[in-house]
Amino acid sequence: MAKVVVQAHERMLVYRDGVFEAMLEPGRHSLRKIWRVRRESVDLRVRQLTVSGQEIFTADGVTVRVTAVVRWQVSDPRAFVEYAEAPLDLLHVALQLAVREAVGRRELEELLRPEVRSAVSAELPEPVRTEVAGLGITVEDASIRDLALVGELRSALAETALERQRGRAALERARGEAAALRSLANSAKLLDDHPALAALRMVQAAGESGATVVLTRDGLIPPMPR
C-alpha cells in the first residue's frame, strides 16, 4: 500500500498493468500493489508556449521574422497523456502553421499597421484549436507578439522612416516661417495705413529699451540710445 498526494492544480492518472484504472482528484489517496501501478501527474494550470523567430514570406515576397504565443491548458488529462507522444510538439507546429498562413496572405505594408497585426492575431486561435482537437488541450488565445524585418530591408525601412521624419520637420519649419512672414506683412500694412500706430509703437519700444525720443514739429525723430 502506498500513499500519494494530488495537488489542487493537478490530476493523477493511475494505470495498473498498462490499463487505465482511475483519475485521482486533489487530496491524499492510497494505492494498493504499487509495483503494478504507473502514475501520470497532469498539470491543469494555464501555460504559455512561444514560437519565436519564424521567418515567413509575405504576399509580396518580403521575409519577416515573427514571434507568436499561445496560452493553453489541459482540459482532458487522459486524452493529453494517451492521444499523442508529444502533445506540446503538435501544439507548437499548429501555431507555426496558423501564423504562416495568416501572415503569408498579407503584404508587408499591411502588416506594418497595428490594426492589421491585431486582425492577424484574432485569426490564430481557431485553426490552432482545430489542429489540436483530441489532444485534451484547450487553447485560450493566440497572438502575434513581435514582427520584424530581416537583413537589409530593416535598414532600408529605418532610413525611409528617418527621411520621413526629416521631411515633416522641414515642413513644420517652412510653415512656421510662412506664418511669421504673413504676420510681418500684416503688421507692415497696418502701420502704413495708420501712421499714428507706428509712432505709438516707436514710443513703446523706446520706453522698453531706455532710449530717448525727441519730439519736433515734423514729428518724431528716431530714438537714440543712451
Side-chain angles (χ1 to χ4, degrees):
M1 186 74 67
K3 300 292 185 181
V4 296
V5 176
V6 181
Q7 302 299 324
H9 62 269
E10 66 182 3
R11 300 295 182 271
M12 182 175 289
L13 303 180
V14 178
Y15 294 86
R16 188 177 300 277
D17 296 330
V19 179
F20 175 76
E21 182 177 272
M23 181 168 67
L24 304 183
E25 299 291 327
R28 187 179 181 86
H29 302 269
S30 299
L31 295 177
R32 60 185 179 82
K33 297 181 180 179
I34 191 66
W35 63 90
R36 296 168 53 190
V37 170
R38 177 172 65 89
R39 292 170 291 177
E40 293 280 354
S41 295
V42 181
D43 194 323
L44 302 185
R45 290 175 292 188
V46 175
R47 285 177 272 180
Q48 179 173 288
L49 183 144
T50 302
V51 174
S52 59
Q54 183 179 192
E55 294 191 359
I56 303 172
F57 282 110
T58 63
D60 50 347
V62 178
T63 302
V64 292
R65 184 176 290 114
V66 181
T67 296
V69 297
V70 58
R71 289 196 315 126
W72 65 279
Q73 68 180 140
V74 175
S75 54
D76 185 341
R78 188 175 175 186
F80 183 74
V81 170
E82 296 180 5
Y83 188 86
E85 179 184 4
L88 295 189
D89 289 347
L90 297 180
L91 178 60
H92 189 279
V93 171
L95 181 58
Q96 280 185 316
L97 294 176
V99 172
R100 188 174 297 276
E101 173 66 21
V103 171
R105 291 199 307 269
R106 293 171 170 86
E107 296 184 354
L108 175 62
E109 187 175 351
E110 295 180 88
L111 293 169
L112 293 179
R113 299 202 299 268
E115 64 273 16
V116 174
R117 291 199 297 276
S118 296
V120 171
S121 294
E123 296 176 8
L124 297 181
E126 193 55 39
V128 176
R129 292 187 185 108
T130 300
E131 288 294 322
V132 299
L135 292 179
I137 290 174
T138 294
V139 174
E140 300 289 337
D141 59 58
S143 61
I144 299 293
R145 170 175 288 180
D146 183 49
L147 187 147
L149 300 176
V150 178
E152 295 181 358
L153 189 58
R154 177 191 297 179
S155 300
L157 188 64
E159 184 63 28
T160 299
L162 181 60
E163 290 300 327
R164 188 182 298 117
Q165 293 300 322
R166 287 172 177 167
R168 289 175 180 172
L171 180 60
E172 289 301 319
R173 286 196 299 271
R175 286 173 176 171
E177 291 173 358
L181 289 174
R182 283 195 300 271
S183 179
L184 287 174
N186 292 335
S187 298
K189 185 176 186 306
L190 185 63
L191 293 176
D192 285 344
D193 294 341
H194 303 279
L197 288 177
L200 287 174
R201 183 68 185 98
M202 183 179 295
V203 171
Q204 182 183 23
E208 292 173 352
S209 63
T212 300
V213 178
V214 179
L215 297 176
T216 68
R217 292 182 178 180
D218 298 327
L220 294 174
I221 296 177
M224 301 181 65
R226 293 178 177 179

